Amino acid sequence: MAAIGIYGGTFDPVHAGHITVAERAFNQCGLAKVLLIPAKNPWLKEGELISEFNHRHRMLEIAVQGRPGLEVSSIEGWRDGPTYTVDTVQQLRDEDPEGEFVLVIGQDSMMTMPRWHRVEELLTLCPLVVYKRDGEDTVDAERTITGLGGRISWIEGPLMEVSATSLRQLIAEGVDPGDRMPSSVYSYVQQQGLYTG
């Protein structure tokens, strides 16, 4: 049975880089599907202003339309308190005891994992599929994760110079983000008046 990819994040907003990571994971790892899961209350971003969950969830739904293997899950939208990946993975495993899961992340996110909530427990629940940043050394990152008991598979792809922070800034300035964001998502952003300050 093919594994299911779990790809969480704030997705505020979802952009071309997120979609590339999800599609590369699906295609390169032979996954059954990749679940994109917006965090309701991302604890690593505590104190930051974040768009409402329903907007971030809807932007993801729009972004994955017509993209085979990509699905959106609202699993974290029903929980109160901080959103921890370990709780989400455990819930998915409880709901599908026969299923196999992998956690899809970017190399930059992997570097923050030693700070994650109950990270050693998380790494026993599922291996990592990590999008390798082109040209970056992976030795230190891999040593960190294996030292915590984790297992890593790498996926390759282009270097993507795009971030949600820079997109919010562009949109606030009235600049069309172009191919850095699906045009259908940008239309939603405009309709809802998101990131306008």
Side-chain angles (χ1 to χ4, degrees):
M1 183 190 306
I4 296 170
I6 302 168
Y7 184 24
T10 309
F11 301 113
D12 192 20
V14 58
H15 55 64
H18 296 134
I19 299 302
T20 297
V21 170
E23 289 187 325
R24 293 282 173 136
F26 175 69
N27 291 318
Q28 292 184 23
C29 298
L31 301 178
K33 60 185 174 182
V34 176
L35 294 176
L36 290 92
I37 303 176
K40 184 179 180 185
N41 297 302
W43 67 276
L44 279 171
K45 295 184 181 290
E46 190 173 355
E48 296 181 30
L49 191 61
I50 297 171
S51 300
E52 293 179 16
F53 177 84
N54 64 307
H55 284 310
R56 295 181 287 113
H57 184 270
R58 183 61 188 141
M59 284 189 282
L60 278 171
E61 287 183 325
I62 293 168
V64 304
Q65 286 176 359
R67 298 181 187 273
L70 305 191
E71 295 182 15
V72 182
S73 169
S74 61
I75 187 171
E76 295 189 356
W78 307 104
R79 292 207 304 264
D80 294 323
T83 304
Y84 297 121
T85 303
V86 64
D87 295 329
T88 300
V89 174
Q90 187 60 65
Q91 183 177 343
L92 288 167
R93 285 171 57 99
D94 290 345
E95 292 173 358
D96 183 7
E98 302 300 315
E100 181 183 343
F101 297 91
V102 297
L103 186 65
V104 179
I105 61 173
Q107 188 173 345
D108 53 341
S109 296
M110 186 179 71
M111 298 303 292
T112 70
M113 285 194 79
R115 295 167 43 211
W116 288 22
H117 186 67
R118 292 169 25 222
V119 65
E120 292 184 10
E121 179 183 344
L122 171 63
L123 291 171
T124 67
L125 294 175
C126 62
L128 303 182
V129 168
V130 184
Y131 187 92
K132 181 180 181 295
R133 294 179 65 141
D134 190 39
E136 286 203 16
D137 182 37
T138 60
V139 174
D140 288 343
E142 189 157 349
R143 186 179 297 130
T144 297
I145 297 304
T146 55
L148 293 167
R151 293 163 290 152
I152 300 176
S153 298
W154 295 95
I155 49 177
E156 302 278 345
L159 179 65
M160 297 169 293
E161 295 293 346
V162 58
S163 73
T165 302
S166 64
L167 284 178
R168 291 194 300 270
Q169 183 66 35
L170 285 176
I171 293 166
E173 295 169 358
V175 178
D176 187 322
D179 61 3
R180 287 167 284 197
M181 169 189 280
S183 59
S184 54
V185 174
Y186 183 51
S187 295
Y188 178 85
V189 167
Q190 290 182 301
Q191 289 165 8
Q192 299 297 321
L194 300 178
Y195 315 122
T196 54

